[in-house]
């Protein structure tokens, strides 16, 4: 299991990443709101973690399910197998 997850930029181009009341993550059109605001942090090895300012929880890929993106993690684990850490690069 990889410790890195991917949010491809071509998917994000069609809207803002938003967090709903159930801490589910979707894309939304229109003006950005608090639900589209995230604190961006880098781990010591350069991975990205995003904390939703709406839920005060971290984005994660549900690695045990169908790969659904949620904003329900209290934080990342050192081993990186919890789906919270994302690899990123500037193109």
């Amino acid at each position: 299991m990889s410790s890195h997850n991917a949010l491809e930029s071509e998917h994000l181009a069609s809207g803002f990443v938003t967090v709903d009341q159930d801490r589910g993550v979707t894309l939304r059109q229109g003006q950005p709101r608090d639900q589209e605001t995230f604190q961006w942090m880098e781990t010591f090895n350069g991975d990205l973690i995003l904390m939703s300012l709406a839920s005060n929880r971290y984005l994660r890929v549900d690695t045990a399910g169908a790969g659904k993106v949620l904003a329900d993690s209290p934080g990342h684990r050192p081993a990186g197998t919890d789906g919270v850490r994302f690899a990123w690069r500037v193109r």
Side-chain angles (χ1 to χ4, degrees):
M1 183 180 309
S2 172
S3 64
H4 296 78
N5 302 291
L7 292 176
E8 294 293 330
S9 61
E10 57 266 17
H11 297 294
L12 301 180
S14 63
F16 291 100
V17 175
T18 188
V19 177
D20 63 28
Q21 293 177 344
D22 297 325
R23 297 183 178 160
V25 176
T26 58
L27 293 178
R28 189 183 81 74
Q29 298 293 319
Q31 294 294 318
R33 307 170 300 171
D34 288 344
Q35 292 87 339
E36 288 86 43
T37 306
F38 298 88
Q39 182 174 345
W40 163 298
M41 293 165 272
E42 276 187 70
T43 63
F44 290 114
N45 65 348
D47 289 340
L48 169 70
I49 55 175
L50 294 170
M51 184 181 73
S52 165
L53 297 185
S55 68
N56 291 321
R57 298 290 180 165
Y58 293 88
L59 260 63
R60 72 177 179 93
V61 174
D62 183 8
T63 56
K68 186 175 180 180
V69 180
L70 303 168
D72 65 352
S73 175
H76 69 91
R77 295 186 187 128
T81 58
D82 53 359
V84 173
R85 295 163 45 171
F86 298 88
W88 66 283
R89 68 175 178 246
V90 178
R91 293 185 194 192

